[in-house]
Amino acid sequence: MDAVHIVTGTAVPLDRSDVDTDQIIPSDWLKQVSRTGFEKGLFSEWRDDRAFVLNREEHAGATILLAGSNFGTGSSREHAVWAIQQYGFQAVVSPRFGDIFRNNAAKNGLVPVVVSAEVSEHLMRAVEADPTLEITIDVERRTLEAPAIGLTAEFPLDDSVRHRFLEGLDDIAITLRRADVIDAYEDTRPTWLPSTA
């Protein structure tokens, strides 16, 4: 996982509430053996509609997904986070996330930014009016800014999650920080127990 300090870019305004993980990445896409190529399945059923926001040229290259409330509810599929990231998004902004989705996002390096319903609405309308509006998410300061519209908002992010982003740590990297303790334990294990060597 790469370290994330600041995400700056344009956004896609997905003005829909209660988007569940099956809508983010339909179950047909879960049969893949590899962990790549999920961007093609991102909102695939909605993308059949040429007017769908992700199909609009003015939002090409956006790095931030603006979503309605209750984004990422439903099943615990980590594939939803992979699809969002592989499409090119580095952060998702919403008034509320499904708990499992939010945790999966944090563990995979996708910044979940919780803002008030008022801030969300203001951003949604502003990006719809001007798709070139630049938004900056500062993980270290826990702020979201859109200077062109005079918007600055703080967002909650647990200290441990913030640390993961700033240091680029996934679960394995966190565990490996304790490799010396693990090795010391392994060295003292009775020889009759199974070995990892």
Side-chain angles (χ1 to χ4, degrees), residues 1 7 10 23 30 32 37 49 53 57 66 71-72 84 89 91 107 121-123 130 138 149 156 158 177 189:
M1 180 169 121
V7 175
T10 58
Q23 293 164 319
L30 307 184
Q32 286 186 210
D49 176 0
V53 69
E57 191 174 311
L66 298 179
F71 185 81
I84 291 168
F89 294 114
K107 288 182 177 197
E121 181 69 17
H122 186 51
L123 270 176
D130 179 10
D138 187 322
I149 59 170
D158 291 341
R177 285 188 153 195
R189 286 173 45 104

Side-chain angles (χ1 to χ4, degrees), residues 41-68:
L42 180 65
F43 305 119
S44 63
E45 292 179 9
W46 294 343
R47 284 167 66 191
D48 288 340
D49 176 0
R50 290 177 35 195
F52 180 61
V53 69
L54 234 54
N55 295 332
R56 295 185 196 152
E57 191 174 311
E58 65 265 27
H59 295 300
T63 56
I64 299 166
L65 178 62
L66 298 179

